[in-house]
Amino acid sequence: MSEAPGTRRPVGRLRGWGGVSAMAAACAVTAAAVLLPLAHAAPDGGHPTVVREPASVAAAPEVPWTLTDTCQDPEASLRPSGVDGPTIERIRKAGKLVAGVDQNSFKWGYRNPVDGRLDGFDIALVKAIAKDILGDENAVIYRAIPTSQRVPALQDGRVDVVVRTMTINCERLEDVAFSTAYFEAGQQVLAPKGSPITGYDASLKGRRICTAAGSTAEAALKGQSYGSVPVSVPNQLDCLVRLQLGEVDGIITDNALAAGQAAQDPSVRLVGSPFTKEFYGVAMNKGASDLVRRVNKVLENYRAGGDNSPWMQAYVTHLKPVLPGVAGPPAPKYRDG
């Protein structure tokens, strides 16, 4: 039975993975003991230091102009190199790679309920980077950061890298640098089963639609709302909790993230088709060209080996159960200069 736009579902509807709101609370408690807060000083413990220097998608409504990249080949990054530079030397001197991550995105960056440790596809990539630079995959300081703080954390020198399902686009390239793409995704709508919402279209009219602040989903909704009522929150998990509480009617997010959310709560599902084509990259300070080249070298090795590659092994372990059918990583693009 369809609900009216203003109808709120009962609070007692919490389901999936033991109740995601309960999981969120547990994550917050665990994080206090394991992750350093974002407001911590610089990676070396001093004052904040700015370091200088799917293959195709189905037909969908036209992407708003606000999401259209105007720079040429935004996914093209610096060519890989293993040569050490000032950023690499600083990380080695500190003895730790400081990584900005998520701890609430199921299968990407989340607290494993079995042992409480950070786990997921993005976490596996962080470990590969630390292994290459420091010789130890565990030589990492993880800092949980909300979506809206990914760029400021890099600009202020609070983290060395951000590995947090971050889409490469022209607007962000004005503020940070990116590696080559390591995953392809697209924006899509997540709604309760039985909802009259059919996708990113006129069925959103009058509905409360949740996005994470600073995300490409938020930009999409600002560009074309279809008469919906936008609701912005700090993190994607907040959207799922609000959906479960009946405070919003749908979510727009990357389909790769949404697949994990749907796995957490079987009462929700992806609807419509992806209406963008986006690529995740490792974000770094704009001046850290040596680190960008080094991460691209790590990614070259990470992709190599076909079905036996570290990339595919991480995909099978973390994502295949919730996001099947991915044949492999996107091919890298490079630029000179």
Side-chain angles (χ1 to χ4, degrees):
M1 181 177 177
S2 300
E3 300 174 355
T7 301
R8 292 175 181 262
R9 282 171 284 125
V11 173
R13 184 182 164 278
L14 292 177
R15 302 178 190 172
W17 218 40
V20 178
S21 58
M23 182 192 77
C27 286
V29 173
T30 308
V34 183
L35 279 90
L36 295 183
L38 179 63
H40 223 47
D44 58 3
H47 295 292
T49 302
V50 177
V51 183
R52 298 298 176 189
E53 220 261 289
S56 63
V57 295
E62 184 178 352
V63 177
W65 70 268
T66 51
L67 288 184
T68 302
D69 282 330
T70 55
C71 56
Q72 187 175 3
D73 290 331
E75 293 85 30
S77 184
L78 296 174
R79 296 187 183 279
S81 173
V83 176
D84 293 345
T87 312
I88 300 296
E89 291 297 338
R90 178 181 57 76
I91 293 170
R92 284 191 175 146
K93 184 178 179 180
K96 297 284 186 179
L97 176 73
V98 185
V101 299
D102 198 350
Q103 62 169 347
N104 295 323
S105 290
F106 188 47
K107 296 299 184 180
W108 287 92
Y110 73 108
R111 288 283 167 190
N112 192 314
V114 175
D115 55 18
R117 295 182 181 181
L118 278 172
D119 203 358
F121 190 83
D122 279 346
I123 304 303
L125 180 52
V126 171
K127 290 181 177 181
I129 296 170
K131 175 71 173 178
D132 184 87
I133 295 175
L134 296 166
D136 180 2
E137 68 173 22
N138 295 313
V140 182
I141 295 173
Y142 292 102
R143 290 185 177 165
I145 54 176
T147 305
S148 61
Q149 286 297 306
R150 293 177 297 188
V151 169
L154 287 166
Q155 292 178 320
D156 295 345
R158 288 173 281 173
V159 297
D160 299 314
V161 297
V162 168
V163 188
R164 195 187 180 286
T165 58
M166 190 168 178
T167 299
I168 304 167
N169 62 34
C170 296
E171 182 180 0
R172 289 172 179 163
L173 282 170
E174 295 179 2
D175 299 315
V176 298
F178 279 100
S179 69
T180 53
Y182 68 86
F183 202 87
E184 181 181 333
Q187 294 295 313
Q188 199 166 349
V189 178
L190 187 74
K193 291 179 179 177
S195 167
I197 296 175
T198 57
Y200 185 62
D201 53 34
S203 66
L204 298 180
K205 185 175 182 179
R207 310 276 170 181
R208 297 155 299 176
I209 304 301
C210 189
T211 63
S215 67
T216 49
E218 183 184 48
L221 208 57
K222 285 180 179 178
Q224 173 59 276
S225 70
Y226 286 107
S228 64
V229 180
V231 177
S232 181
V233 297
N235 286 299
Q236 287 295 340
L237 185 65
D238 299 331
C239 280
L240 183 57
V241 172
R242 289 200 177 200
L243 187 65
Q244 292 175 317
L245 293 173
E247 296 177 354
V248 298
D249 304 299
I251 301 169
I252 296 180
T253 186
D254 302 355
N255 58 352
L257 286 173
Q261 292 178 348
Q264 290 171 253
D265 186 346
S267 69
V268 301
R269 64 188 179 98
L270 285 164
V271 294
S273 301
F275 57 91
T276 65
K277 190 173 183 179
E278 303 179 15
F279 297 91
Y280 297 158
V282 178
M284 291 154 278
N285 188 279
K286 197 168 183 177
S289 59
D290 60 322
L291 181 58
V292 175
R293 293 182 185 276
R294 188 58 168 263
V295 170
N296 284 339
K297 173 180 171 290
V298 173
L299 285 171
E300 284 281 283
N301 297 330
Y302 205 63
R303 298 183 192 98
D307 289 344
N308 295 318
S309 68
W311 188 99
M312 185 57 71
Q313 291 172 9
Y315 165 73
V316 170
T317 299
H318 300 291
L319 298 180
K320 189 175 181 179
V322 299
L323 194 67
V326 177
K333 294 181 180 180
Y334 296 113
R335 61 177 173 82
D336 294 310

